[in-house]
């Protein structure tokens, strides 16, 4: 459920991503039970990056909670590209596995593009393979696996705006393959007018101030200040940045300066508890859909 808090100038909706994600997870569990499915998710972690370790463990836990077969592969930092490609090929052939996720970033000796392109598109539950990216980019959404974070952001935006999303000016801050580019495509597919701003954009705040929807995905703590925001905009914060607070404690903040932006916007996602839980829920949904498709037509999974 969304909570609301009155502010000095307006009434701002705090978009509860944890609650939205819990609803998605419940419906996935129900489908798994009623259709007697056993979706299989394989998550591969190379090296010991602590943040990646946290993400991978929560993906595994959530998959188990959904009733999936959940396998985690922890490979050493020195793993070669040849070794990783061999594991991906093995999982491509494994009939119990419907989704393969290789956690990024990878160590420098491994080319992430080569690894992503080795995953069969039907098992690419991250939606990063150029086949899935191309389908999204060309509007063939029904056949595409769409990246989890943009899909989660869209879900939250539709929860707030419904059909009112059409015709809105959306500004996406960041041009990554994981979030920025697929987010822009997804918003265009939903009839938004889309602008992407990035690290080389001149005066991004002037562009952002025109936005009805702001999606911030750059990984710079509190980059988006109040003077970047048009009154009444909807703000979606993808950033999860660990910072040290003035009192010496560490905590998580987003890419949006939440406290100062809050009074201006009509709705905003908090960090934590906004986009983060939705990303994992969408990964479960992509895996469930991959399993359903392969049970209908196993050849399509290849
Ligand atoms: N690293 C950060 N976000 C992601 C993601 O969504 N998928 C994968 N595979 N790695 C990531």
């Amino acid at each position: 459920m969304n909570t609301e808090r009155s502010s000095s100038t307006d009434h701002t909706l705090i978009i509860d991503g944890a609650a939205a994600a819990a609803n998605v997870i419940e419906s996935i569990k129900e489908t798994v039970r009623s259709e007697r499915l056993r979706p299989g998710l394989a998550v591969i972690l190379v090296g010991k990056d602590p943040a990646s370790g946290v993400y991978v463990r929560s993906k595994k836990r959530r998959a188990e909670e959904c009733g999936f077969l959940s396998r985690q592969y922890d490979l050493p930092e020195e793993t070669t590209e040849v070794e990783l490609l061999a594991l991906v090929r093995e999982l491509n052939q494994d009939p119990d596995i419907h989704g393969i996720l290789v956690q990024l970033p990878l160590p420098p000796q491994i080319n992430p593009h080569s690894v992503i392109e080795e995953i069969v598109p039907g098992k690419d539950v991250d939606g990063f393979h150029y086949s899935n990216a191309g389908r999204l980019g060309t509007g063939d959404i029904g056949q595409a696996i769409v990246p989890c974070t943009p899909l989660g952001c869209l879900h939250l935006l539709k929860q707030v705006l419904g059909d009112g999303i059409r015709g809105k000016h959306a500004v996406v801050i960041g041009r990554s393959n994981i979030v920025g580019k697929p987010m822009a495509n997804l918003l265009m597919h939903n009839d938004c007018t889309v602008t992407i701003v990035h690290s080389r954009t001149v005066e991004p705040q002037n562009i952002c101030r025109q936005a009805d929807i702001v999606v911030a995905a750059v990984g710079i703590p509190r980059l988006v200040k109040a003077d970047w925001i048009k009154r009444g905009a909807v703000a979606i914060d993808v950033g999860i940045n660990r910072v040290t607070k003035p009192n010496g404690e560490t905590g998580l903040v987003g890419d949006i300066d939440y406290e100062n932006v809050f009074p201006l916007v009509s709705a905003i996602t908090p960090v934590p508890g906004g986009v983060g839980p939705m990303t994992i829920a969408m990964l479960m949904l992509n895996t469930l859909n991959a399993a359903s498709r392969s049970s209908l037509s196993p050849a399509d999974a290849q």
Side-chain angles (χ1 to χ4, degrees), residues 42-46 75 79-92 100-121 123-126 128-130:
V43 178
I44 304 172
L45 175 64
V46 185
L75 306 185
T79 301
T80 64
E81 187 173 305
V82 168
E83 288 167 331
L84 181 54
L85 291 175
L87 174 57
V88 168
R89 279 187 211 115
E90 193 185 309
L91 293 167
N92 281 343
I100 302 169
L101 183 146
V102 180
Q103 186 68 24
L104 302 174
L106 289 165
Q109 73 276 14
I110 302 177
N111 178 345
H113 298 288
S114 310
V115 176
I116 289 165
E117 301 323 333
E118 197 63 35
I119 300 171
V120 287
K123 294 191 180 187
D124 165 41
V125 283
D126 262 326
F128 295 164
H129 191 286
Y130 61 61

Side-chain angles (χ1 to χ4, degrees), residues 26-65:
E26 275 315 306
S27 82
I28 291 172
K29 284 187 198 167
E30 182 49 38
T31 305
V32 166
R33 264 195 304 267
S34 63
E35 298 190 15
R36 297 168 184 271
L37 291 167
R38 180 79 165 145
L41 175 64
V43 178
I44 304 172
L45 175 64
V46 185
K48 296 245 171 289
D49 179 69
S52 291
V54 171
Y55 293 137
V56 164
R57 278 193 294 281
S58 55
K59 288 167 185 175
K60 183 170 195 296
R61 256 200 320 273
R62 200 57 94 203
E64 284 164 357
E65 184 196 335

